[in-house]
Every structure is written in structure tokens, then in C-alpha cells.
Amino acid sequence: MAPSKPRVRFAPSPTGYLHIGGARTALFNYLYARRYGGTFILRIEDTDQERSTPESVKAILDGLNWLGLDWDEGPGKEGAYGPYFQTQRLDTYRAHADQLISQGKAFRCYCTREEIAARREVADKEKRAYRYEGTCYELKAPPEGKKLEDAVIRFRMPTGDGKVSYDDKVLGVITKPYSDLDDWVMMRADGIPLYNYGCVIDDHLMEISLVARGQEHINSTFPQLMLYQALGWTPPEFAHLPLILGPDREKLSKRKHPEADVMLHARTGILPEGLLNFVIRLGWSHGNDEVISREQMVEWFDFDGVGSTSGVWDPVKLKWFNQEWLKRLPAALIAERLLPFLEARGFQARGDSRLEPMVIALRERSQTLEEMANTASIYFRAGVTLDEKAAAKHLSGDSLGLLRQARERLVALPAWTVELLDGVVKTVSETASVGMGKVAQPLRVAITGNTTSPGIGETLLFAGRDEALRRIDAALARGG
């Protein structure tokens, strides 16, 4: 049964860049909302005041925009449920915390971090799990030497043998006894909410119907469910997604894995289509389908296709997906995306008529825009650097004679087209009674510096008449 217009959210902490795991979470929520005609909400959990800088927020927005994961509500798209930054919602958190304290479901705790750490150390030595002892349960006023502003606010767990459980849309029913849960801190003394508290308040007030996030948050779900219960609210559905592991089989992390940065891939020439296709296949499948368009993702996605085992980052597979999208997307679109990579190398190619044919010729042998730009650069720069081994083989002896014959015919051409250029190679080979490769390879080495390139007609076309002839002349002069 299809859900009725779900409200789903992606709620990142802006701490430097958009993480690959976060991008996949955003994608799954986005697809679920789009498939069922719901709303995709972006909420910024910016309560880490040291790391949540304007630059970090911009990095999140830039990453989502590059991937094309447009949100319906959030920064820049204010709706009825805003504001969408947690630091702009502090009064709301305080009001609900005061309500819970007045009902005896939360309390102010004046124990210092040092005191808690010392008690935890004792518990560790006694080989038992540490649980808050209830030191501040009955305090009606700050103890001597303390003031109200010194207190954190803790949730007060119910006593007894109860248990809390939920039916995860990926993992099934998960249960935890009350005895495994502690009197957790909801708010710091400075009024900043901790994750388990702030997200519950926000999810309820924003009417979130589904929370999909990584499996590292499974244990957070239980205290959150207890908070929903204490406030008398109905919790949303939950879906916990498998982890993404690095090539070393450890959780993909900012500290150890550079590839965790979404925009690193943009800078190295991965297409957003290629990255999204790769990322979705790290945790979801649809039969044996591999290359999946955005439209198909929206049509097919549901959580019954999400697996429970971790996916492993495979750079070879990522480049395979990327090349598939280089070949499938319109050449004009790839040409537009290639321009910044050429400009970074000092070439102004906008409006150049060679660019789209060049994309068509090079995408069969390029896995990234970076690789394509490297190859294309051969045709935009002045002159060429010869590979000595290739030159020794193809720019000497009889090969030079064939190159001269080709040059004489090339300079006489009425137009510089692939058909006429290929015709020159064919004519010279027939006249000299040699295979076409004997003519094409000296030309190829003279133009590109090595023995690999697109078809010889395209290679000459991309270099342009004047530059091609200059390079041929240089090769002939080198050979004597």
C-alpha cells in the first residue's frame, strides 16, 4: 500500500562537506518523496558551533545542488514548518524541555563532566555498564555553589522491566529493554539540544512521516522513541540504511577516506549521474539492473529493495558507471560540463565547433571528464610532445615518405572534413600499396605524439588544418 504524500527529511550536520553516506541518505529520502508525491525537506542541524560555519553550510548546499537533489522546503525555500536551522529553533527546544521537567519526565542535572567521567571509570574497573545514578533526581534548586545555568537537562527513563521496540522498514522489528537505556542528556547547559532531543522535536513539529538514515543511528532510535512516548506524540516510521565501507573495509570516514567527499568527485570529473548511480547500488537494488536513470530510480525506489549488509566502495566500478553516463548523456551536455576542465588547463573552447564531435569520439575511451580533458588538450595546445619510442618506430625510414605524401594531399584539400581526411589516407595507402595503418600511424604520432587516438580523420579534424600541418612539418623536419 502506497503511503499518502510522505514528508521526509535530510538533516545533515554541516561539518566541512557533504559526505557520500549523507548523499545516499539524501537520495533515498528524495526518491521516496518523489515516487509517492511527497515533500523532501532539508534541515540543517548546525548545533556544533565550532564546525558549523557558513562555509560548511554552503558545502552541503553545493553538494546537493550538484547532485540535483532539490528540496521542497529548507534553506532558500522557506515553508510553514521553518525555520530550517536548529540554531534558529532554540526557544522551541527550551519550551518542550521545561514542559518535560514540569511533568517529572526530565530533570536538571548539575553533575560535572569530570564527576561523570570518574563514576564511569569506576564502573569500567568493576566491569559493569555505567548508568546515571539519579544523583540530581530530587533537586528542586541548584546545589550549593551552582546556579540554574550550570545544569544540563536529562531525560528521566521510566523504571521497571519495560521495553521499547519498533518495526524498521529495512531491518524488521528491533527491541531494547529499558534496562539498556540511560538518563541521557537532552540539552547542554548553554541551551543547545543534543541530537536525540533536537531531531525528535523538529521531526514532530515538521510532521515528518519517515526517518531514513544510516545504521549507525539504530541505537539512537530507542531514546528517541521514549521521548515520543513521554511527549504523547506518534513517532514516524524508521528505515536504517546499510553502511558504506571504504576500500579497506572500514566505515567510509572523513578522516581516512578522501573519497568520502562528494565534491571531490565533481572536481575529478565524475558526473553527478554516475556518482548517484554508483551510490544507490551500494545499498539498493532492482533486479539485475545496473545503469539506472533518475527517472527509473523515482519509478522503482522503495525500501523493500534496500539491503541490510554494508556496501564497499569500489573506485573501478564508480568509473565504469561514469563512463556509461559519459556515453549515454547528450554530447552537448557533456561538452558543457567538459568546458571547466579545459578552462582549468588554459584553453577557451566555448563555442568551438570541434567540441561536441570531440566528446563523441573521446567518450568511448574516457572514464572521467578529467581524462577526457587531458586527451582533448592535445588538440587545443600549440605543438605536441612526441613519445620517443613511438617516434622512432613511426617517424623514420619509409614512414617519413608516406607522411610526406599525405602532407602533399592534405594541403591541397578544398575542405577539412573527416570524409576528405580519411580519403587522403586511403588514397596514399592505395598508391603506395600499403595498409592504411602504415599511413595513419605516422600521421597519428605526428599529431598527438603517441600511437593512440580516435580515427585518423577525426584526429586531423580536431587538430585543425593549420595546427595539423605545422605538427606534420615538425615531424618531417625531425626525421630529416
Side-chain angles (χ1 to χ4, degrees), residues 275-314:
L275 185 60
L276 286 177
N277 199 155
F278 172 70
V279 164
I280 197 172
R281 293 291 285 108
L282 286 177
W284 173 85
S285 62
H286 184 270
N288 294 320
D289 295 278
E290 287 270 29
V291 181
I292 305 171
S293 69
R294 178 76 63 95
E295 294 73 22
Q296 290 170 323
M297 291 180 191
V298 171
E299 179 185 353
W300 296 339
F301 182 80
D302 213 329
F303 286 97
D304 56 5
V306 176
S308 59
T309 57
S310 300
V312 179
W313 188 270
D314 182 349

Side-chain angles (χ1 to χ4, degrees), residues 211-276:
V211 172
R213 55 193 178 188
Q215 287 182 7
E216 65 269 27
H217 293 293
I218 289 174
N219 285 332
S220 298
T221 308
F222 300 103
Q224 290 170 21
L225 288 170
M226 295 307 300
L227 182 56
Y228 278 108
Q229 179 179 307
L231 290 165
W233 295 343
T234 301
E237 291 186 287
F238 292 93
H240 287 91
L241 314 175
L243 300 178
I244 299 177
L245 306 181
D248 56 2
R249 298 299 197 274
E250 293 189 19
K251 182 185 172 185
L252 199 69
S253 72
K254 293 182 177 182
R255 184 175 59 84
K256 295 186 63 177
H257 305 103
E259 58 268 40
D261 180 1
V262 164
M263 295 307 286
L264 170 71
H265 303 290
R267 295 189 293 273
T268 56
I270 297 295
L271 302 170
E273 292 85 356
L275 185 60
L276 286 177

Side-chain angles (χ1 to χ4, degrees), residues 362 365 374-379 381 383-395 437 439-454 456 459 471 475:
L362 297 182
R365 61 187 71 233
N374 284 338
T375 304
S377 295
I378 294 170
Y379 306 107
R381 67 169 61 101
V384 66
T385 300
L386 295 175
D387 176 87
E388 288 302 324
K389 187 175 179 180
K393 181 176 180 180
H394 297 288
L395 297 179
V439 181
Q441 282 300 75
L443 282 167
R444 182 171 281 111
V445 173
I447 299 300
T448 69
N450 56 60
T451 57
T452 58
S453 78
I456 193 59
T459 299
R471 293 185 188 186

Side-chain angles (χ1 to χ4, degrees), residues 116-248:
I116 296 294
R119 297 173 197 168
R120 192 180 303 277
E121 187 176 347
V122 170
D124 289 344
K125 288 179 179 177
E126 296 175 355
K127 297 184 178 179
R128 58 180 172 84
Y130 174 73
R131 287 174 57 85
Y132 179 74
E133 302 88 346
T135 306
C136 300
Y137 278 171
E138 306 305 327
L139 291 179
K140 303 300 182 185
E144 186 177 350
K146 303 278 189 177
K147 51 186 183 297
L148 203 64
E149 302 82 62
D150 295 330
V152 301
I153 297 176
R154 287 183 181 271
F155 182 81
R156 186 164 183 172
M157 275 296 299
T159 57
D161 298 327
K163 61 184 179 181
V164 58
S165 66
Y166 74 99
D167 190 356
D168 192 286
K169 291 177 73 67
V170 174
L171 303 171
V173 176
I174 306 177
T175 302
K176 190 176 284 285
Y178 286 177
S179 58
D180 284 355
L181 302 174
D182 201 0
D183 297 324
W184 50 278
V185 176
M186 295 166 33
M187 289 180 62
R188 298 191 331 221
D190 59 5
I192 299 297
L194 272 68
Y195 172 72
N196 284 338
Y197 178 61
C199 73
V200 167
I201 303 301
D202 291 340
D203 286 346
H204 175 75
L205 296 180
M206 292 181 181
E207 298 186 8
I208 301 301
S209 59
L210 169 73
V211 172
R213 55 193 178 188
Q215 287 182 7
E216 65 269 27
H217 293 293
I218 289 174
N219 285 332
S220 298
T221 308
F222 300 103
Q224 290 170 21
L225 288 170
M226 295 307 300
L227 182 56
Y228 278 108
Q229 179 179 307
L231 290 165
W233 295 343
T234 301
E237 291 186 287
F238 292 93
H240 287 91
L241 314 175
L243 300 178
I244 299 177
L245 306 181
D248 56 2

Side-chain angles (χ1 to χ4, degrees), residues 9 17 48 54 56 60 102-103 163 173 205 209 228 270-271 281 284 291 340 373 378 399 402 409 421 442 457 469:
R9 51 77 164 173
Y17 59 70
D48 184 337
S56 292
I60 295 289
S102 69
Q103 295 171 342
K163 61 184 179 181
V173 176
L205 296 180
S209 59
Y228 278 108
I270 297 295
L271 302 170
R281 293 291 285 108
W284 173 85
V291 181
I378 294 170
S399 296
L402 295 170
R409 293 181 180 275
L421 294 166
L469 293 174

